Amino acid sequence: MKTALQAKKAKIIKIMASSSYSNSPCAACKFLRRKCLPDCIFAPYFPPEEPQKFANVHKIFGASNVGKLLNEVMPHQREDAVNSLAYEAEARMKDPVYGCVGAISVLQRQVIRLQRELDATNADLIRYACNEAPAPATSQFGSRRDSNQGQGAVDQNSAFYFPYNNDHFGDGHE
C-alpha cells in the first residue's frame, strides 16, 4: 500500500512540477514552439524575458547548432558562450557582412586617428615651447641629421629635431 501511495505522490509531484515549468517556457522553446522540459539545454541561458536574444541567435546560427555547441562546452563556460553568440548575432543583424569585426575595425581606425591628432598636438606644444626658449644654432641640427643619415626629421618651422621619420604610421601621410 505504501508503494502505491508513494508512486501516486511522485506522479502528482511530477505533474505539478511539469505544469508549473511549462507555464513559463524558455525563450528558445517558446520561439521553437515546443515543450520546455526540465532538462532543456537552452532554459538557463535564454530566459522567457529575453525572447529577442534567442531570436537573433537562432537566425544567425540556428537552434540545432547552438544546442550542439552548448552540449560540447563545459557547463561553467556555457553562459560565456551564449553571451558571445548573442553579441555576435546582434552585430550580424546590424552588419551582416562584418559583424562585430566591423565594429572593431571602426574603433581601431578611431584610435589611429586620435593618435595622429595627439601626435600633432604634442608637436604643436613642442614648437610652442621651442619658440619661447632661445633657438639653438641650425648647424647643430644639421650635423645631427647627417649623423643619423636621414633617420630623423627637422621641423622647418621651429628647427626642432624629431628622432623619427615624418611618416609616423608608415602609411605615406605626414
Side-chain angles (χ1 to χ4, degrees):
M1 181 129 176
K2 265 188 166 178
T3 56
L5 184 60
Q6 287 174 343
K8 190 173 184 180
K9 195 175 187 181
K11 186 176 180 182
I12 291 171
I13 291 173
K14 186 177 179 183
I15 290 170
M16 286 175 55
S18 67
S19 67
S20 66
Y21 195 82
S22 64
N23 285 341
S24 59
C26 70
C29 292
K30 189 172 185 177
F31 184 87
L32 299 171
R33 297 176 183 209
R34 65 182 191 193
K35 187 175 181 181
C36 192
L37 301 173
D39 62 339
C40 175
I41 190 77
F42 299 116
Y45 314 108
F46 296 103
E49 304 85 43
E50 300 178 27
Q52 194 60 45
K53 181 178 177 181
F54 181 78
N56 291 345
V57 170
H58 177 264
K59 185 171 184 175
I60 301 300
F61 300 105
S64 177
N65 290 330
V66 174
K68 288 176 191 174
L69 181 116
L70 290 176
N71 283 321
E72 291 176 7
V73 173
M74 302 278 282
H76 69 279
Q77 295 175 326
R78 288 179 182 165
E79 186 173 358
D80 290 336
V82 167
N83 289 337
S84 294
L85 290 172
Y87 181 80
E88 177 63 24
E90 188 175 331
R92 288 272 172 197
M93 297 296 284
K94 292 177 183 174
D95 184 354
V97 175
Y98 295 108
C100 65
V101 174
I104 292 167
S105 198
V106 166
L107 292 172
Q108 285 176 332
R109 285 193 303 268
Q110 186 177 10
V111 166
I112 290 169
R113 183 182 53 80
L114 291 171
Q115 185 63 50
R116 286 181 180 161
E117 189 177 322
L118 181 62
D119 289 346
T121 303
N122 284 333
D124 289 343
L125 285 171
I126 291 170
R127 266 190 236 106
Y128 177 76
C130 288
N131 286 338
E132 295 294 315
T138 323
S139 61
Q140 179 185 7
F141 287 110
S143 63
R144 266 180 106 178
R145 184 173 184 189
D146 293 339
S147 66
N148 285 335
Q149 299 173 354
Q151 293 296 320
V154 176
D155 185 336
Q156 301 301 321
N157 295 334
S158 67
F160 186 82
Y161 177 77
F162 291 97
Y164 48 81
N165 293 346
N166 285 338
D167 186 11
H168 309 299
F169 298 97
D171 62 359
H173 293 96
E174 292 186 18

